Amino acid sequence: MRLRQSVRGLAAAVGALSLAFAGTMGTAAPAHASATGSTALGTFTYEVRGATVKVPVGCFLTHSISGSGKKIERQLAGVDCIGVAATFSRFCNWRIDFTYADTDNRTYRTSRGATRTECEGAPLRRAAPQKLPQYGKACARLFVNGKSRATQCHYITR
């Protein structure tokens, strides 16, 4: 499980570097963009079936997006944990939503993820490729047990 998290992070970094390198080659192809960012979750506790679950410091919501202009070719978001948190963190009743807002910060679309009742150490959600109707921002939002725990956004501009 932890190897998958490391591989996922490495794959995102390699993908970002390869897209950056391709952009510097001076080709006449359309401009491609890629971004990966993380937001710390902070420590929190929640109740599951009468038991208290504690998520320690060391977990992050990581959101990766790539595409060209308003076309999103790949988007995923998941939780990555390091140190002690990687060993002991479990997320139950979680979901990840993707939201899209215009340049005036008005949300015009939300893709609500399914709530996963199983407990996992590395929640992950992928979004289908799509074309946005306007520029603005794309965000990933993690919910655990119905409560928002972190949001991570990327601006999509010309």
Side-chain angles (χ1 to χ4, degrees):
M1 183 67 75
R2 300 301 163 213
L3 178 60
R4 184 179 84 178
Q5 289 175 325
S6 298
V7 170
R8 183 173 63 200
L10 179 61
V14 169
L17 287 174
S18 65
L19 284 174
F21 178 75
T24 63
M25 295 301 292
T27 62
H32 290 277
S34 175
T36 298
S38 294
T39 299
L41 297 184
T43 187
F44 64 93
T45 59
Y46 62 99
E47 297 284 324
V48 177
R49 296 184 277 286
T52 300
V53 178
K54 181 176 183 176
V55 176
V57 171
C59 292
F60 303 84
L61 173 63
T62 300
H63 179 210
S64 179
I65 189 169
S66 64
S68 176
K70 293 183 273 184
K71 184 179 179 187
I72 296 175
E73 295 168 1
R74 185 182 65 87
Q75 183 176 202
L76 57 96
V79 176
D80 296 304
C81 297
I82 59 172
V84 173
T87 304
F88 297 108
S89 295
R90 289 285 177 257
F91 298 88
C92 307
N93 301 321
W94 65 271
R95 79 170 200 265
I96 296 174
D97 294 351
F98 292 109
T99 61
Y100 308 91
D102 62 19
T103 55
D104 292 323
N105 206 29
R106 288 187 298 253
T107 300
Y108 61 85
R109 182 185 304 160
T110 298
S111 172
R112 184 180 167 123
T115 298
R116 307 294 188 123
T117 57
E118 68 274 5
C119 298
E120 295 182 35
L124 177 66
R125 179 172 179 221
R126 297 178 195 279
Q130 60 187 304
K131 177 143 181 156
L132 301 177
Q134 50 200 323
Y135 290 102
K137 67 180 179 178
C139 300
R141 190 169 187 187
L142 172 70
F143 291 84
V144 178
N145 226 22
K147 184 172 180 184
S148 177
R149 295 298 178 176
T151 302
Q152 208 290 323
C153 300
H154 295 290
Y155 289 92
I156 300 171
T157 59
R158 290 175 206 184

